[in-house]
Amino acid sequence: MIRFEVESGITFQQFRIMISKKLKVGLKFLKLTREDKKLFKSSDDKKTLQKLGIVHGNLIILLPKCLDQEKIQKEKEQKKQEEEELKRKAEGIIIGPDLGITDEHNEEQIIELENEWDSKQEKELLMPILDRIKEGKIVLPYYLQVRMKNLGNNSLSMSVIDWLDETKPKISHQEKGDCIGVEFDFQSGNAFHSFVSNTNYEIPRVGYLFGTVNNDGSVTVDFIYEPPQKVLPKTQRVYILENEEEFKLMKGISKLLGLKPVGWVVAHKPKRSKRKLMKAWQIIQAARIQARFGEHAVTVIACPRKSGKAQFEAYQVSNQTVELVKQNKVKLSSRDYTLDFFERVIVEKKKEMSAGSYFFMITIPIIIHQSFLKNNFFIENRGPWNRGDLNVHLMTNKEKSWEEKFSDPHFLLFLAKMEIFSLKTDFPMLCTQIKNKEKITSGFSLMLEMFQN
């Protein structure tokens, strides 16, 4: 039981507002009766308590169901807001927090906020976003919508700016990657790096890594497939020209060998930066690779030491970077080791339009291992292949066993592309024998010798 002390001249509506605030129950859910359980009507709101016969000592009863009804209604509204928020997020719309200021008796709070006004400064700061608000791409919280309605679209409080800052992406460095380490085949790495070495590091090169994702979260790289590619001389950026048919063959062969794509590698001239940083175009490409090949996909960078020998470094980009690239919120900068944003973001508590490579990349430990595969055949897309390459390969490696000749992914791709062996009928048995290090069935070697002759 709650006791109220009121003036005799107040209306029943004013009395209801007092009860509403005290019990924290919305006005529309407040159902009151007299002691005789006779319900008050909406027409009673404008009458005074005296006129209604309410005097000192009278008991006013709140229906118990009021609280249940309000709870049910709030749950419905909350569910509806969650559904709308999911829908808007799917459409790329920014959603404002719901502060729950919806009842008439809360207008006082809105009026208090309106007194914190500086329209000139706010108009200048907020003009760029007004069109987006009108188009519905930015949905403000309820109390700010009311103020816009009452004071005009060009009048918003400074709290809008604070709220918009809260919705901006906060760029932070991710300490650990999804991949805990890389085992990198040194033969494949050296064969790959030899391309840039032979061109005096003037033409960079990229390739896809094929291997396995291990149970502990590490990645083992067994060979490198080099897709068709083009280099822009001024920027030294490499563009991959996908050959879908060839890549499908390579994936099919690797699957039969128990392998799959696990990342990409790029080889280029020595870095200008002394710090171990990825270039901006490499970060964007790495994000696309991780989105395409899976969260454990890695980036390996090969560049020469002072001695000229290859040095390999492994990286991943953060999960946040993958999402930013997916949503097309970043772009290349004029600076090699910086990414630009299309809209301001928060970087180390400051509003910025760009951020350095450090914020996007994660260094991954890398060690060298020896794969069960070889690198003896001409590597794809460094020059045109023809059937005469088979004779050269067999003559050059005539002292080697058929197991060594066949255990070369580039040679297997050649056999598939030239339709010498069938991916459906010949490769399953051949790849199983290679994978298990078994003796190659003599039928395969006889077929090659017949084809050679």
Side-chain angles (χ1 to χ4, degrees):
M1 182 180 290
I2 301 173
R3 181 174 175 174
F4 287 89
E5 292 182 6
V6 298
E7 295 177 5
S8 59
I10 71 167
T11 64
F12 187 65
Q13 184 181 29
Q14 290 172 320
F15 181 55
R16 287 177 67 241
I17 290 173
M18 289 176 64
I19 298 172
S20 172
K21 288 183 177 179
K22 186 73 175 177
L23 300 179
K24 297 182 180 179
V25 178
L27 282 173
K28 61 183 177 181
F29 298 102
L30 205 64
K31 304 296 181 184
L32 302 172
T33 71
R34 297 175 184 270
E35 291 181 53
D36 58 3
K37 297 187 180 180
K38 187 177 180 180
L39 193 68
F40 287 101
K41 300 176 183 178
S42 57
S43 58
D44 295 333
D45 278 353
K46 295 181 181 180
K47 297 175 183 178
T48 63
L49 297 183
Q50 193 174 8
K51 193 170 182 178
L52 289 170
I54 300 173
V55 295
H56 180 71
N58 280 161
L59 188 66
I60 304 298
I61 301 170
L62 172 69
L63 292 181
K65 290 184 178 179
C66 295
L67 300 174
D68 294 336
Q69 288 174 353
E70 183 175 32
K71 184 179 179 182
I72 292 167
Q73 183 65 22
K74 282 185 177 178
E75 287 175 354
K76 285 182 179 178
E77 289 174 358
Q78 186 178 357
K79 188 176 180 182
K80 185 179 179 182
Q81 287 169 2
E82 287 173 356
E83 289 174 353
E84 288 176 354
E85 186 172 346
L86 287 171
K87 184 179 178 183
R88 285 170 180 159
K89 279 183 177 177
E91 295 170 353
I93 298 173
I94 301 172
I95 308 298
D98 181 10
L99 302 185
I101 304 177
T102 57
D103 297 323
E104 293 176 8
H105 63 277
N106 284 321
E107 286 184 1
E108 294 175 6
Q109 293 172 300
I110 297 171
I111 292 167
E112 286 176 11
L113 288 169
E114 289 170 0
N115 295 330
E116 304 170 4
W117 207 257
D118 184 354
S119 59
K120 286 184 180 179
Q121 185 184 7
E122 289 165 12
K123 182 176 179 181
E124 194 175 306
L125 287 168
L126 296 170
M127 276 300 289
I129 67 158
L130 289 176
D131 289 338
R132 296 185 68 194
I133 293 171
K134 291 175 188 176
E135 293 168 4
K137 291 181 179 177
I138 296 179
V139 180
L140 297 175
Y142 175 79
Y143 78 101
L144 294 174
Q145 291 179 28
V146 172
R147 298 181 64 180
M148 282 186 67
K149 185 176 179 182
N150 293 341
L151 298 164
N153 284 339
N154 291 345
S155 300
L156 294 172
S157 88
M158 288 301 291
S159 57
V160 179
I161 300 171
D162 295 334
W163 171 73
L164 285 171
D165 283 346
E166 289 176 10
T167 66
K168 293 182 185 298
K170 293 176 176 61
I171 305 303
S172 56
H173 178 70
Q174 183 177 319
E175 293 297 330
K176 294 183 179 180
D178 293 308
C179 174
I180 67 164
V182 182
E183 294 182 35
F184 192 70
D185 177 47
F186 73 92
Q187 287 185 340
S188 299
N190 288 336
F192 175 74
H193 186 260
S194 68
F195 180 89
V196 289
S197 178
N198 292 336
T199 61
N200 199 26
Y201 304 103
E202 291 302 319
I203 303 176
R205 190 78 175 163
V206 303
Y208 289 136
L209 306 175
F210 280 78
T212 54
V213 177
N214 305 313
N215 293 332
D216 62 357
S218 65
V219 164
T220 300
V221 177
D222 285 296
F223 76 90
I224 299 168
Y225 159 71
E226 299 180 21
Q229 49 201 275
K230 181 180 180 181
V231 179
L232 295 184
K234 288 185 179 179
T235 61
Q236 291 290 288
R237 292 173 193 156
V238 184
Y239 288 85
I240 298 173
L241 309 173
E242 297 285 3
N243 182 331
E244 291 183 11
E245 186 179 345
E246 182 179 276
F247 188 63
K248 189 177 178 181
L249 283 175
M250 193 76 264
K251 280 183 72 177
I253 293 167
S254 68
K255 188 176 180 180
L256 293 171
L257 291 169
L259 310 174
K260 66 176 184 177
V262 292
W264 74 306
V265 58
V266 54
H268 53 66
K269 64 175 66 175
K271 296 180 181 180
R272 292 181 182 177
S273 172
K274 292 181 180 179
R275 295 179 65 192
K276 292 184 176 182
L277 295 175
M278 293 172 66
K279 291 187 176 180
W281 73 269
Q282 294 168 356
I283 287 170
I284 290 178
Q285 182 64 20
R288 289 172 180 157
I289 291 290
Q290 284 175 221
R292 182 180 178 186
F293 294 155
E295 59 185 12
H296 292 91
V298 293
T299 297
V300 174
I301 294 179
C303 57
R305 294 190 178 97
K306 290 181 180 179
S307 62
K309 292 183 178 180
Q311 172 179 296
F312 299 101
E313 300 164 1
Y315 303 98
Q316 279 196 304
V317 296
S318 66
N319 299 327
Q320 184 185 47
T321 308
V322 175
E323 289 304 313
L324 288 170
V325 172
K326 274 186 185 178
Q327 296 166 18
N328 197 31
K329 290 186 176 180
V330 290
K331 59 182 178 179
L332 292 175
S333 167
S334 57
R335 293 168 289 178
D336 279 347
Y337 299 96
T338 303
L339 276 175
D340 287 345
F341 301 95
F342 287 99
E343 293 182 352
R344 289 194 182 279
V345 297
I346 307 299
V347 182
E348 292 186 331
K349 299 181 181 181
K350 295 179 182 178
K351 298 177 192 176
E352 302 285 357
M353 288 296 290
S354 63
S357 295
Y358 165 78
F359 290 98
F360 306 100
M361 56 182 277
I362 307 158
T363 303
I364 307 296
I366 185 169
I367 60 173
I368 300 301
H369 87 112
Q370 184 172 353
S371 171
F372 66 98
L373 298 172
K374 309 299 179 185
N375 277 274
N376 298 320
F377 194 70
F378 307 103
I379 294 174
E380 61 280 344
N381 298 308
R382 292 189 180 182
W385 271 348
N386 59 65
R387 296 199 173 204
D389 293 331
L390 173 63
N391 295 336
V392 176
H393 178 64
L394 296 180
M395 288 295 294
T396 305
N397 297 282
K398 62 182 179 180
E399 301 299 326
K400 295 178 180 177
S401 67
W402 281 107
E403 286 72 31
E404 284 188 280
K405 291 173 187 174
F406 274 112
S407 298
D408 186 322
H410 312 289
F411 182 50
L412 295 175
L413 180 61
F414 170 83
L415 296 176
K417 280 196 74 173
M418 296 297 167
E419 298 181 346
I420 298 172
F421 287 169
S422 167
L423 193 64
K424 288 184 179 180
T425 58
D426 300 317
F427 275 94
M429 181 182 287
L430 179 59
C431 289
T432 299
Q433 292 172 352
I434 293 170
K435 182 173 63 174
N436 297 334
K437 298 181 180 179
E438 299 172 354
K439 186 176 179 64
I440 300 296
T441 304
S442 58
F444 293 119
S445 56
L446 287 171
M447 285 174 66
L448 285 189
E449 288 175 341
M450 288 174 62
F451 189 86
Q452 184 183 16
N453 295 330

